[in-house]
Amino acid sequence: MSFQRIAIIGLGLLGGSLGLAIAQRLPNASTAGFDADPATRDRAAQLGLVGTVCGTAAEAVAGADLVILCVPVGAMSNAALTFAEALPADAVVSDVGSSKASVAKALAQALPHHTIIPAHPVAGTEQSGPDAGFGELFAHRWCILTPPADVPESAVEKLSAFWEALGANIEIMDPDHHDLVLAVTSHIPHLIAYTIVGTASDLEEVTRGEVIKYSAGGFRDFTRIAASDPTMWRDVFLNNREAVLEMLGRFTEDLTDMQRAIRRGDADKLFDLFTRTRDIRRGIVEQGQDDARPDFGRKDH
Ligand code: NAP
């Protein structure tokens, strides 16, 4: 049996995309949604992101067999508390947050009597808000589930089947391992992008006009990432603190190593690293996780 009544809390990029994907790929399931922002609720209703846009989170979860929280990771606990009383006893609760250990803890504390299976669809864009959603967001992307040990296997299988129906591939992981992996593949790259764009904008000897004019020299691709939602990313760094600091330490050491290679004119060291990294890019394209075109095939989004 698949989920029939799905409640989505938070109707921005992820929540909106989820509602659209369910409508497209699971037409027999009904969706109800809530967002804390009244303007987002209105826009979600206009765009038809979910079947019913509710005035409260409690209304949205009434009768639901699956509730998915699509709010910033720092807002998970408060969002869960707003509907805790109205949540049906047998409903499965999940989320889409970008960090997992702290979210798992927050949800377990807020909803101690429910089946909670934290999840992270590794799919997104630098856009946010209800207008950014699109139903194909999860197609051919990985969705990582981090089920606690005491959750029934049948519930994990049901949630896996739900995400597979939306086009995603499933991976089961321990939450701490998830946080370490995502620190290096997603969180540190965002931190580097935010920092380099900040550094360029603070320079006194290079004008802002020059930075923008010559951005195709690599800077432009960093600005795409650095345009990502400030609330979401503030929360990711505050909630995945340990793993990010661990990976940042290693990155800083490697950066210092490169600094030394440049200073000493160690051509082989530079060339070897740049050759190795090119292979990683090829692997990503070969596995269908990106597009080899110079615009990454992203013009439509
Ligand atoms: P978003 O577009 O900003 O949407 C989040 C929505 O949640 C906003 O409309 C926000 O309203 C609302 N919200 C905040 N607190 C709430 C509460 N207590 N109750 C109900 N609604 C609340 O963000 P997003 O990109 O969809 O991200 C949502 C989650 O997905 C985050 O946990 C993020 O880590 C994760 N994620 C994001 C990506 C990505 O690429 N963007 C990818 C994978 C996972 P306000 O604007 O009024 O705060």
Side-chain angles (χ1 to χ4, degrees):
M1 269 294 286
S2 51
F3 294 107
Q4 294 299 308
R5 292 169 64 96
I6 300 156
I8 301 173
I9 307 300
L11 297 171
L13 167 68
L14 267 286
S17 298
L18 197 51
L20 293 172
I22 293 167
Q24 286 168 18
R25 291 175 177 249
L26 293 168
N28 294 328
S30 67
T31 51
F34 169 75
D35 194 284
D37 183 349
T40 299
R41 292 203 293 275
D42 289 348
R43 192 64 188 137
Q46 278 169 7
L47 294 165
L49 298 182
V50 284
T52 313
V53 175
C54 301
T56 64
E59 270 175 61
V61 305
D65 52 9
L66 173 64
V67 177
I68 304 190
L69 288 132
C70 301
V71 303
V73 288
M76 292 286 177
S77 176
N78 278 346
L81 290 170
T82 58
F83 63 71
E85 302 266 294
L87 188 62
D90 56 356
V92 170
V93 178
S94 188
D95 75 298
V96 295
S98 304
S99 68
K100 293 275 58 87
S102 73
V103 170
K105 201 167 154 200
L107 292 182
Q109 273 171 3
L111 308 167
H113 307 300
H114 281 84
T115 299
I116 298 164
I117 308 176
H120 177 203
V122 187
T125 71
E126 67 281 16
Q127 312 289 337
S128 55
D131 284 278
F134 57 101
E136 287 303 299
L137 178 64
F138 311 109
H140 313 300
R141 297 283 169 250
W142 287 98
C143 183
I144 302 171
L145 308 189
T146 63
D150 58 352
V151 162
E153 189 54 38
S154 57
V156 179
E157 282 167 12
K158 201 169 162 182
L159 189 64
S160 300
F162 166 78
W163 278 107
E164 278 168 351
L166 303 188
N169 305 316
I170 304 298
E171 188 83 44
I172 308 283
M173 245 185 229
D174 167 79
D176 290 325
H177 187 64
H178 165 280
D179 287 356
L180 207 57
V181 172
L182 270 291
V184 75
T185 59
S186 172
H187 307 168
I188 298 290
H190 275 78
L191 194 68
I192 293 168
Y194 281 125
T195 309
I196 186 77
V197 175
T199 302
S201 78
D202 290 344
L203 289 174
E204 281 172 8
E205 59 278 42
V206 178
T207 66
R208 202 184 171 85
E210 285 172 315
V211 168
I212 293 170
K213 191 168 162 188
Y214 302 115
S215 65
F219 186 72
R220 186 186 60 182
D221 294 341
F222 281 110
T223 62
R224 184 188 68 74
I225 301 176
S228 300
D229 191 72
T231 306
M232 171 189 157
W233 283 98
R234 175 202 64 196
D235 281 11
V236 167
F237 290 113
L238 297 181
N239 282 275
N240 197 21
R241 191 165 162 258
E242 301 307 324
V244 166
L245 291 176
E246 161 72 24
M247 287 300 168
L248 200 53
R250 297 201 200 180
F251 173 73
T252 311
E253 282 173 25
D254 289 345
L255 196 60
T256 306
D257 211 25
M258 283 294 105
Q259 196 177 10
R260 195 180 306 117
I262 293 168
R263 189 168 356 93
R264 292 181 177 169
D266 188 343
D268 290 347
K269 181 145 200 138
L270 298 173
F271 192 80
D272 288 350
L273 177 68
F274 302 166
T275 306
R276 222 159 23 95
T277 55
R278 183 179 254 199
D279 287 345
I280 296 212
R281 170 74 193 160
R282 285 192 183 130
I284 290 171
V285 172
E286 273 163 27
Q287 287 187 26
Q289 293 301 307
D290 208 350
D291 197 302
R293 283 172 285 177
D295 67 355
F296 310 114
R298 284 181 188 134
K299 281 230 158 76
D300 295 342
H301 302 305

